[in-house]
Amino acid sequence: MRHHLPHAAPNQTIGLLGGSFDPPHEGHLHISEEALKRFNLDRIWWLVTPGNPLKSHGPAPLDHRLDACEKLLQHPRIEATDFERHSGTRYTAQTLQALFKTYPRTRFIWLMGADNLADFHRWDSWKWIMENVPVGVLARPGQRTAARISPAAKRFEFARISGKESHQLAHADSPAWCFINVPMNKASSTAIRATGAWKGGTGTQSG
C-alpha cells in the first residue's frame, strides 16, 4: 500500500476528522484549519473511510480519494490517512480503540460537524465515544439549533466547554465537548458530485 500510518510525536494532541471525502474539498480544509486554531491542536488527521463493501453504491475507490486528499492538502499540520483500512475497523468507537492502542502516547480529539452531533445518538457506542475522547463540534449552516437540542447534547450538557474557552478542549478530561461557530465554507461533496466535476465514482454518501 502506498499510504502509510501517520507519525505522531509523543504527547501530541491530534484532531481526527472522519469521512468518505468523496471528494475532498475546500470545506473540509476550512473546518480543519479552524479546528487547529480554536482547539489548540498540534495536528489533524483526515480518517478516509474505506466504505461499506456490502453496499451496491459506495464512495469512489479509497486510493483515488486519498490521492485527491493529498493533492488538496498543502498544510504542514494536516494529513490524510487510511488508518481504518490498516486496522480493519468501520465504526468510530472501534477505530478510536485501535488508535489508542497504536498510539498510546498521543492525545486524540474527535472532530465533527454540527449535523453529526444532531444524529450522534444513532452512532454505535456513542456514549462510549463521549466518555473516552474529547469532542470538538464545528457549526455548519442550518444545523446549529438541531445540534444544540440533540439527545447527545442534552445527555452531556454537564461536560460542555464554552466556545470562548475552546482552547481548553485539547487538555480536558473526558467527557468533554465544545461547540464553536465558525465562518463556514459551504462547499459540499454532494454538490460537487452533482456537477459531474468529480470523476472518482458514483457514491451517494455525503463527505
Side-chain angles (χ1 to χ4, degrees):
M1 297 179 184
R2 292 183 295 105
H3 303 280
H4 303 288
L5 296 182
H7 172 73
N11 303 316
Q12 278 192 324
T13 300
I14 296 176
L16 303 170
L17 183 66
S20 60
F21 296 93
D22 186 32
H25 52 71
E26 292 293 336
H28 294 128
L29 185 58
H30 176 67
I31 64 171
S32 297
E33 291 173 342
E34 288 293 326
L36 277 172
K37 294 183 293 185
R38 300 287 294 275
F39 297 131
N40 193 29
L41 305 175
D42 293 311
R43 302 186 64 82
I44 286 182
W45 294 350
W46 288 1
L47 297 178
V48 186
T49 62
N52 189 339
L54 299 179
K55 289 186 177 181
S56 57
H57 297 286
L62 178 57
D63 283 330
H64 190 97
R65 289 179 283 129
L66 281 164
D67 287 342
C69 287
E70 291 176 355
K71 290 178 181 178
L72 175 66
L73 286 173
Q74 302 298 322
H75 198 292
R77 293 162 58 197
I78 306 173
E79 61 184 309
T81 174
D82 57 347
F83 180 84
E84 288 189 331
R85 171 162 62 182
H86 289 272
S87 64
T89 58
R90 290 295 181 270
Y91 294 107
T92 297
Q94 295 174 339
T95 299
L96 287 170
Q97 290 170 6
L99 283 164
F100 295 161
K101 183 177 181 180
T102 306
Y103 300 93
R105 299 180 64 187
T106 301
R107 180 170 177 78
F108 292 106
I109 306 294
W110 185 259
L111 303 174
M112 66 170 69
D115 55 338
N116 291 134
L117 180 62
D119 294 324
F120 193 49
H121 60 287
R122 297 188 174 94
W123 289 28
D124 182 72
S125 303
W126 67 276
K127 292 180 181 178
W128 182 92
I129 297 171
M130 290 290 287
E131 291 168 351
N132 286 272
V133 64
V135 176
V137 184
L138 300 103
R140 291 179 176 178
Q143 294 290 340
R144 294 180 177 91
T145 301
R148 285 175 169 162
I149 65 173
S150 67
K154 292 180 178 179
R155 170 66 178 79
F156 288 94
E157 177 62 29
F158 70 94
R160 181 177 174 181
I161 296 173
S162 71
K164 293 181 180 179
E165 299 178 335
S166 59
H167 62 282
Q168 296 183 7
L169 184 67
H171 301 289
D173 293 328
S174 302
W177 64 284
C178 183
F179 185 103
I180 61 172
N181 294 305
V182 296
M184 297 305 296
N185 182 312
K186 295 185 179 181
S188 158
S189 295
T190 302
I192 293 172
R193 288 198 301 272
T195 67
W198 173 240
K199 303 302 183 181
T202 58
T204 58
Q205 299 177 3
S206 59

